[in-house]
Amino acid sequence: MTRRTALRNTRDKSFSDWYHEVIEAAEMGEHSGVRGCMIIRPWGYAIWERIQRHLDDKIRETGHENCYFPIFIPMELIEKEADHVSGFAKEMAIVTHHRLEESGSNDLRPTAPLKTPLIIRPTSEAMITEAFQRWVKSYRDLPLKLNQWANVVRWELRPRLFLRTSEFLWQEGHTVHETSQEANEEVETMLECYRQLLEEFMSIPVITGIKSEGERFPGAVSTHTIEAMMQDGRALQAGTSHNLGINFAQASGIRYLGRDEKLSIPHTTSWGVSTRLIGALIMVHADDDGLRLPPRLSPYQIVILPIDNNEKARVKVHKRCREIADQTKSLNFEGERLRVKIDTKDDTPSNKRWKWIKKGIPIIIEIGPRDLESGQLAVHRRDFEERKAIFKKSENFLEEVPALLKEIQQTMFTKARDWRDKMTATDITNLATLRSYFENNSGFVRGKWYQDLASEEVLKKFGVTVRCYPYEQTGSRGNCIVSGRSTEVDAVFAKSY
Amino acid sequence: MTRRTALRNTRDKSFSDWYHEVIEAAEMGEHSGVRGCMIIRPWGYAIWERIQRHLDDKIRETGHENCYFPIFIPMELIEKEADHVSGFAKEMAIVTHHRLEESGSNDLRPTAPLKTPLIIRPTSEAMITEAFQRWVKSYRDLPLKLNQWANVVRWELRPRLFLRTSEFLWQEGHTVHETSQEANEEVETMLECYRQLLEEFMSIPVITGIKSEGERFPGAVSTHTIEAMMQDGRALQAGTSHNLGINFAQASGIRYLGRDEKLSIPHTTSWGVSTRLIGALIMVHADDDGLRLPPRLSPYQIVILPIDNNEKARVKVHKRCREIADQTKSLNFEGERLRVKIDTKDDTPSNKRWKWIKKGIPIIIEIGPRDLESGQLAVHRRDFEERKAIFKKSENFLEEVPALLKEIQQTMFTKARDWRDKMTATDITNLATLRSYFENNSGFVRGKWYQDLASEEVLKKFGVTVRCYPYEQTGSRGNCIVSGRSTEVDAVFAKSY
């Protein structure tokens, strides 16, 4: 293809510059004056709200309740769980004062130092576990299944919008169970919610699996993960679900009176996804014309543009736009009414069309004076490579819309999955080949792996990690790519974000 | 009444102790280990989510978009708006370091000091205005109407759950307009949204009006407010909407190219409500048996309790509970499906009934083996003073439910309004009487007021403030209660939270 693209930066030339231009062109977000902190603009936030609403419904359906814990964690609490905390210590924002006062030269400076500094939560594990210790007394209090939507802060020295920011938005689930089996079911249930969110709602194919020892959440018994491939062949960990066993409960002294009338230590879990998902969305679906949104996720599935340069036809065109909008809004897709917008802004039709292309709207409809006479609509499909209208009789089009949206949703998924499969090597059997593969390519390698921490360190030296042991295992025996030892375990290797 | 109440503390004995016991008994929230910061427990958070969802719909319907700005404000930005900021400076949490490290004795201590400290937002005015300055270029960009749901921090030395906490949740709307008139309309539209939220959704009667000079938002041209009366006769400012004129835009250098092709300064507004509304809800509606929730707001409108101590009848009773639940869930009330829960927890029916009474559920239904035979339901109405069941034929009851909920919603509003009116004095004409009134009573005083800052100071000395000049003015002429000067203005005076 040689046609001009809407973005100056293309994926081929610089994936990173292209990524940032997609965000800018779609007005999704931008860096703020505070290093590492982003402003999520309305279009980015509308996407986050769609994700949030969809996932929140799943979280409720699976029996969880939302709540809210303070943003500040007292130092003492942090010191209690030193092991867990060591992973975050280098990136913690710390509040030391609670007042501003004018100094001599009219400048403001912090005064009123706190007796003990407060940490801004990098995760609420410590706060919530402390509350569990007070709330859980008996098996009657179990299972206790909570979730929180919140902002968290992890000081980030190399920020990247949506992917790595000092402040980000997320949900964190925290649960307490009587038995190990229940905790395991919980961890798998939530990972399955995440898989559905990504695959069925965001059209992002993922590999579900279990993290290696080196990649596990500090203090967890096991970490389950969904891993997606970006268009540059790198992996992105899109969500994790941790079985914490009795480790956290034991450390914080959670005890409950069991059905056997004895005091027992319960099993806990935690799980989360964040605004990072928007980074994944961009890197999986966007193209050199900007963002592309799967219909179920998109804040609007259809944008209608009146071609109203002709003053005389203006009123009629607008009336027709409203009719089409009303008719499409009354249609259903995946259990929801269609979301439709007429863009009546004072701008040229071409500017407006490109604006919505860059914002990723699945279907753009243009209606002008000529279309009124012919009864036709000019329909632009965002999933098509070519930026060209298809003309449709309006009654036919209205009938077809739900099926069309379904097709777009599915096509986006299939395209991403095919790309991933194409970019996945399965014929690598030793370290030398693996190494030269990652020197010359990016992508996933599926191969045998003898689960040991030492050879994870070997891989890390050339920037590769074990992404997970997929749930789907072949069961065949072979030799570990790194150590050559005999093993039945399949793993996925990749460079990652 | 001499019957035993569910709470140890009653409103008569200690309003403040009673208030905290309502929260504890309903499991709505609690103090955390960090002074002034609260944990919002699932029941409190579910109420907040109901408020949020309802108001968010209104905010969208009136043409606003949600977005998200960083929690940190750089010191430079704070210094720019010194006037506005001076009101918050005494209560700002300040981040000075971004790393924790082990010191010699194994203790953790803050390291990596920031070059310039960061303020945790007490409001996002400064951040958002700075962004407006970059985003607003032409009249085509206007009106710009944004809203954000976020946590903010104002260091609180005398915290009180939901009412005054160092961290609280709120929404803050920020808009930019071409004309003063548009800005005024915006401010009034949003105050009307708040009025509807409180009166129609939360059954809390409010007075809408304009703040006096002394109570106005720092830097605003006018502050519009909704004022509610608590059961102890004090006022609570439940929401405000500010017309900022061109003051903020001018200070931050926002300029736009107008329709006349000249650079102009736009008009801005801001408006917000917070988790404080939950404090108002409790102080207006709760009684000595705990919380009372209006049906539209309540997370569940009906809770069904199986009376299942009898092992033999257990299966049948549960089946009947599910039938009744399914039938009620399919009913509509105010455009939403009914929210119904069966409480199958392993506890005595009496414990469970009191639990839901304390949580404020409008209707509790009990179904036991005897009721199966008679086809009757034992129905408890939370808005009744007596804790006694009414027996209803199930088919009759199901038919009546929507009307019953409507009645409860209305009764709660009327009761609160009647109380307010009873507690409002309108016959006070001079300072001596006003003073002795507030020495011996609490409540509102409606009277004449000559709008001057000096006599606001006089009132403050005995703990009274001008709550607002109500939109509804009599227009009659009289003498100012404080200064005796002739005036047409009516005002409301009260002690407040």
Side-chain angles (χ1 to χ4, degrees):
Chain A
M1 281 213 316
T2 52
R3 82 169 166 84
R4 262 184 71 191
T5 56
L7 307 187
R8 294 180 309 278
N9 297 291
T10 59
R11 287 161 291 179
D12 279 355
K13 274 192 259 164
S14 164
F15 199 76
S16 162
D17 291 343
W18 163 83
Y19 175 79
H20 278 100
E21 197 183 346
V22 171
I23 293 170
E24 193 194 327
E27 298 181 304
M28 295 169 78
E30 60 186 40
H31 290 289
S32 78
V34 179
R35 187 169 167 75
C37 287
M38 66 178 161
I39 296 170
I40 308 181
R41 299 187 67 177
W43 194 243
Y45 200 75
I47 293 169
W48 177 241
E49 285 181 305
R50 290 286 306 157
I51 292 172
Q52 197 175 19
R53 189 72 66 110
H54 183 80
L55 182 58
D56 195 57
D57 285 347
K58 283 187 189 291
I59 289 172
R60 284 166 203 270
E61 280 163 22
T62 45
H64 304 85
E65 292 182 304
N66 285 338
C67 58
Y68 188 77
F69 283 77
I71 188 168
F72 298 124
I73 306 177
M75 198 77 141
E76 311 87 79
L77 223 56
I78 289 283
E79 281 166 348
K80 251 190 207 168
E81 304 195 30
D83 278 0
H84 161 64
V85 157
S86 65
F88 298 112
K90 284 187 188 158
E91 41 190 47
M92 279 176 174
I94 303 157
V95 177
T96 54
H97 296 73
H98 66 84
R99 186 180 294 187
L100 272 186
E101 248 162 346
E102 280 186 24
S103 61
S105 58
N106 224 19
D107 286 350
L108 294 166
R109 61 182 176 76
T111 58
L114 297 170
K115 272 184 202 154
T116 49
L118 294 172
I119 312 302
I120 301 186
R121 61 181 163 216
T123 161
S124 302
E125 220 83 45
M127 284 303 263
I128 296 185
T129 310
E130 192 273 338
F132 283 162
Q133 189 268 321
R134 285 179 289 115
W135 295 344
V136 173
K137 300 289 172 209
S138 138
Y139 71 93
R140 286 194 175 86
D141 303 320
L142 301 180
L144 182 54
K145 296 163 75 175
L146 300 184
N147 177 62
Q148 146 168 301
W149 293 93
N151 53 344
V152 288
V153 171
R154 298 176 190 177
W155 207 258
E156 188 56 67
L157 296 174
R158 294 167 304 136
R160 206 170 216 203
L161 291 171
F162 291 110
L163 273 182
R164 273 194 313 268
T165 46
S166 290
E167 181 193 20
F168 57 89
L169 306 182
W170 81 342
Q171 65 63 220
E172 47 182 319
H174 298 270
T175 67
V176 194
H177 307 268
E178 286 184 73
T179 65
S180 157
Q181 192 197 329
E182 264 185 56
N184 239 325
E185 280 167 15
E186 169 75 12
V187 165
E188 286 174 13
T189 300
M190 296 326 293
L191 200 79
E192 174 60 13
C193 285
Y194 292 160
R195 187 198 66 75
Q196 287 173 14
L197 170 70
L198 271 90
E199 297 204 327
E200 295 165 16
F201 192 72
M202 301 177 73
S203 294
I204 298 178
V206 295
I207 296 171
T208 48
I210 296 174
K211 283 284 183 195
S212 61
E213 194 183 342
E215 299 290 317
R216 196 182 290 157
F217 185 67
V221 170
S222 66
T223 288
H224 297 233
T225 181
I226 48 172
E227 300 281 329
M229 185 192 280
M230 307 298 103
Q231 287 179 76
D232 64 352
R234 293 184 139 194
L236 186 136
Q237 172 184 306
T240 45
S241 184
H242 314 291
N243 186 338
L244 307 174
I246 59 165
N247 298 347
F248 280 69
Q250 192 158 37
S252 338
I254 312 180
R255 299 286 181 282
Y256 73 97
L257 197 66
R259 289 169 205 271
D260 55 4
E261 306 216 327
K262 286 180 191 159
L263 278 179
S264 296
I265 305 172
H267 296 252
T268 65
T269 84
S270 71
W271 30 273
V273 297
S274 74
T275 35
R276 198 166 206 232
L277 286 178
I278 297 177
L281 176 80
I282 295 165
M283 291 197 288
V284 169
H285 290 309
D287 64 16
D288 296 341
D289 285 334
L291 188 61
R292 295 193 316 144
L293 290 169
R296 288 188 71 184
L297 171 61
S298 190
Y300 305 115
Q301 290 137 333
I302 297 178
V303 167
I304 299 174
L305 303 178
I307 312 292
D308 54 2
N309 344 33
N310 180 335
E311 271 302 324
K312 272 200 290 184
R314 199 183 156 83
V315 173
K316 273 192 191 167
V317 166
H318 279 253
K319 182 164 168 279
R320 184 69 184 136
C321 287
R322 283 195 301 276
E323 282 169 12
I324 298 286
D326 289 345
Q327 286 165 351
T328 43
K329 273 183 194 171
S330 70
L331 296 169
N332 278 303
F333 174 62
E334 298 283 355
E336 288 182 281
R337 284 292 159 93
L338 250 59
R339 297 176 294 280
V340 181
K341 184 189 172 75
I342 308 175
D343 184 354
T344 55
K345 273 245 165 185
D346 180 8
D347 205 345
T348 69
S350 162
N351 280 352
K352 288 201 269 188
R353 186 170 64 247
W354 281 106
K355 176 177 85 182
W356 292 109
I357 288 170
K358 288 186 280 189
K359 283 182 186 284
I361 297 296
I363 295 173
I364 297 172
I365 300 174
E366 292 178 328
I367 301 174
R370 273 185 309 174
D371 309 313
L372 289 187
E373 288 157 30
S374 63
Q376 279 193 328
L377 305 171
V379 177
H380 298 261
R381 273 179 64 166
R382 186 63 183 88
D383 62 328
F384 282 2
E385 299 265 318
E386 274 192 278
R387 303 272 75 87
K388 214 171 86 178
I390 315 151
F391 293 89
K392 290 262 185 192
K393 283 273 174 207
S394 56
E395 56 268 38
N396 297 350
F397 174 74
L398 286 169
E399 262 174 39
E400 291 167 16
V401 163
L404 183 56
L405 292 173
K406 194 171 178 180
E407 186 190 319
I408 297 174
Q409 182 84 26
Q410 186 57 43
T411 307
M412 291 182 73
F413 178 80
T414 312
K415 194 180 166 188
R417 196 190 49 198
D418 290 350
W419 172 258
R420 182 190 71 190
D421 292 349
K422 192 184 139 198
M423 297 284 281
T424 299
T426 53
D427 55 353
I428 288 172
T429 54
N430 61 59
L431 188 60
T433 338
L434 186 84
R435 187 166 184 162
S436 92
Y437 175 87
F438 279 113
E439 271 163 14
N440 302 306
N441 303 279
S442 62
F444 286 3
V445 170
R446 268 181 187 257
K448 287 294 165 190
W449 173 252
Y450 186 93
Q451 301 159 279
D452 66 332
L453 201 52
S455 53
E456 288 196 54
E457 293 302 321
V458 173
L459 290 172
K460 268 191 192 160
K461 277 184 203 145
F462 47 99
V464 173
T465 47
V466 181
R467 301 316 303 159
C468 69
Y469 311 126
Y471 283 171
E472 277 185 37
Q473 292 278 317
T474 57
S476 68
R477 188 157 276 279
N479 298 325
C480 170
I481 291 185
V482 182
S483 67
R485 278 179 286 189
S486 174
T487 175
E488 276 186 3
V489 177
D490 299 308
V492 174
F493 306 85
K495 293 182 176 175
S496 74
Y497 279 96
Chain B
M1 278 211 316
T2 51
R3 82 169 166 84
R4 263 183 70 191
T5 56
L7 306 187
R8 292 180 308 279
N9 297 291
T10 59
R11 287 162 291 178
D12 281 353
K13 273 192 259 164
S14 163
F15 199 75
S16 162
D17 291 341
W18 164 82
Y19 175 78
H20 279 100
E21 197 184 345
V22 171
I23 294 171
E24 193 194 327
E27 299 182 305
M28 295 169 78
E30 59 186 41
H31 290 290
S32 77
V34 179
R35 187 169 167 75
C37 289
M38 67 179 158
I39 296 170
I40 307 181
R41 300 187 68 177
W43 194 244
Y45 200 75
I47 291 168
W48 177 241
E49 285 181 306
R50 289 286 306 158
I51 292 173
Q52 197 175 20
R53 188 71 67 106
H54 184 80
L55 181 58
D56 195 59
D57 285 347
K58 283 185 189 291
I59 289 172
R60 284 166 203 270
E61 279 162 23
T62 45
H64 303 85
E65 292 182 304
N66 285 338
C67 58
Y68 188 79
F69 282 77
I71 187 166
F72 299 123
I73 306 177
M75 198 78 141
E76 311 88 79
L77 224 56
I78 288 284
E79 281 165 349
K80 252 191 207 167
E81 304 196 31
D83 277 0
H84 161 63
V85 157
S86 65
F88 298 113
K90 285 189 187 157
E91 41 190 51
M92 280 176 172
I94 302 157
V95 178
T96 53
H97 295 74
H98 67 84
R99 186 178 295 185
L100 270 187
E101 247 161 348
E102 280 186 23
S103 62
S105 58
N106 224 19
D107 285 351
L108 293 167
R109 61 182 178 77
T111 59
L114 297 170
K115 273 184 201 155
T116 49
L118 295 171
I119 312 302
I120 301 185
R121 61 180 165 218
T123 160
S124 302
E125 220 85 43
M127 285 301 265
I128 296 184
T129 310
E130 192 273 337
F132 283 160
Q133 190 268 322
R134 286 180 288 115
W135 295 345
V136 173
K137 301 289 173 210
S138 139
Y139 72 89
R140 285 195 176 86
D141 303 319
L142 301 179
L144 182 54
K145 294 163 76 173
L146 299 183
N147 177 62
Q148 145 168 303
W149 292 94
N151 53 344
V152 288
V153 172
R154 298 178 189 175
W155 207 259
E156 188 56 69
L157 295 174
R158 292 167 306 137
R160 206 172 217 201
L161 290 172
F162 292 109
L163 273 184
R164 274 195 312 268
T165 47
S166 291
E167 180 193 21
F168 57 90
L169 306 182
W170 79 342
Q171 64 64 222
E172 46 181 321
H174 298 270
T175 68
V176 194
H177 307 268
E178 286 183 75
T179 65
S180 157
Q181 191 195 330
E182 264 185 56
N184 238 327
E185 280 167 15
E186 169 74 13
V187 165
E188 285 174 13
T189 301
M190 295 326 293
L191 199 79
E192 173 61 13
C193 285
Y194 292 160
R195 186 199 65 75
Q196 286 173 14
L197 170 71
L198 270 89
E199 297 205 326
E200 295 167 15
F201 193 72
M202 302 177 72
S203 294
I204 298 179
V206 294
I207 296 171
T208 49
I210 297 176
K211 283 285 181 192
S212 61
E213 194 183 342
E215 299 290 318
R216 197 183 289 156
F217 185 66
V221 169
S222 65
T223 289
H224 298 233
T225 182
I226 46 171
E227 301 281 329
M229 184 193 281
M230 306 298 103
Q231 288 180 74
D232 64 351
R234 293 185 139 196
L236 186 137
Q237 171 183 306
T240 47
S241 183
H242 314 291
N243 187 338
L244 306 175
I246 59 165
N247 298 347
F248 280 70
Q250 192 158 37
S252 341
I254 312 181
R255 299 285 180 282
Y256 74 98
L257 197 67
R259 292 169 202 271
D260 55 4
E261 306 214 333
K262 286 180 191 156
L263 277 180
S264 296
I265 305 172
H267 295 252
T268 64
T269 83
S270 71
W271 30 274
V273 296
S274 74
T275 34
R276 199 166 206 235
L277 287 179
I278 297 177
L281 176 80
I282 295 166
M283 290 197 290
V284 169
H285 291 309
D287 64 15
D288 296 340
D289 284 334
L291 188 62
R292 294 192 317 144
L293 290 168
R296 289 188 71 185
L297 171 62
S298 189
Y300 304 115
Q301 291 138 330
I302 296 178
V303 167
I304 299 174
L305 304 178
I307 312 292
D308 55 1
N309 346 32
N310 179 337
E311 270 304 323
K312 271 199 290 186
R314 198 181 159 85
V315 173
K316 274 191 190 166
V317 165
H318 279 254
K319 183 164 167 279
R320 184 67 185 140
C321 287
R322 283 195 302 274
E323 281 168 14
I324 297 287
D326 290 344
Q327 286 165 353
T328 42
K329 272 183 194 171
S330 71
L331 296 169
N332 277 302
F333 174 61
E334 298 283 355
E336 288 182 281
R337 285 291 158 92
L338 250 60
R339 298 176 295 280
V340 181
K341 184 190 172 73
I342 308 175
D343 184 353
T344 56
K345 274 247 166 182
D346 181 7
D347 205 346
T348 69
S350 162
N351 281 350
K352 288 200 270 189
R353 186 170 65 246
W354 281 105
K355 176 176 83 181
W356 293 109
I357 288 170
K358 288 185 279 188
K359 282 180 186 285
I361 297 297
I363 296 174
I364 298 171
I365 300 175
E366 292 178 326
I367 302 175
R370 271 184 310 176
D371 310 313
L372 290 187
E373 286 157 32
S374 63
Q376 278 193 328
L377 305 171
V379 177
H380 298 260
R381 274 178 65 167
R382 186 65 183 86
D383 62 328
F384 282 1
E385 299 265 319
E386 273 192 277
R387 304 271 77 83
K388 212 171 90 179
I390 315 151
F391 292 89
K392 290 261 185 190
K393 281 274 171 206
S394 55
E395 57 267 41
N396 298 350
F397 175 74
L398 286 170
E399 263 176 39
E400 291 167 15
V401 163
L404 182 57
L405 292 173
K406 195 171 177 181
E407 185 192 319
I408 296 174
Q409 182 84 26
Q410 187 56 46
T411 306
M412 291 181 74
F413 178 80
T414 312
K415 192 180 167 190
R417 197 189 51 198
D418 290 350
W419 172 258
R420 182 190 71 190
D421 293 348
K422 192 185 138 199
M423 298 284 282
T424 299
T426 54
D427 55 353
I428 289 174
T429 53
N430 62 59
L431 188 60
T433 338
L434 186 83
R435 187 167 185 164
S436 93
Y437 175 86
F438 281 113
E439 271 165 11
N440 303 306
N441 302 280
S442 60
F444 286 3
V445 169
R446 269 183 187 257
K448 288 293 164 191
W449 172 249
Y450 186 92
Q451 300 160 280
D452 67 332
L453 200 52
S455 52
E456 288 197 51
E457 294 302 322
V458 173
L459 290 173
K460 267 191 193 160
K461 276 184 205 144
F462 46 98
V464 174
T465 48
V466 181
R467 300 316 301 159
C468 68
Y469 312 126
Y471 284 171
E472 278 184 37
Q473 292 277 317
T474 57
S476 68
R477 188 158 277 279
N479 298 325
C480 170
I481 290 185
V482 182
S483 67
R485 279 179 286 191
S486 174
T487 176
E488 276 186 0
V489 177
D490 299 308
V492 174
F493 307 84
K495 293 184 177 174
S496 74
Y497 277 96

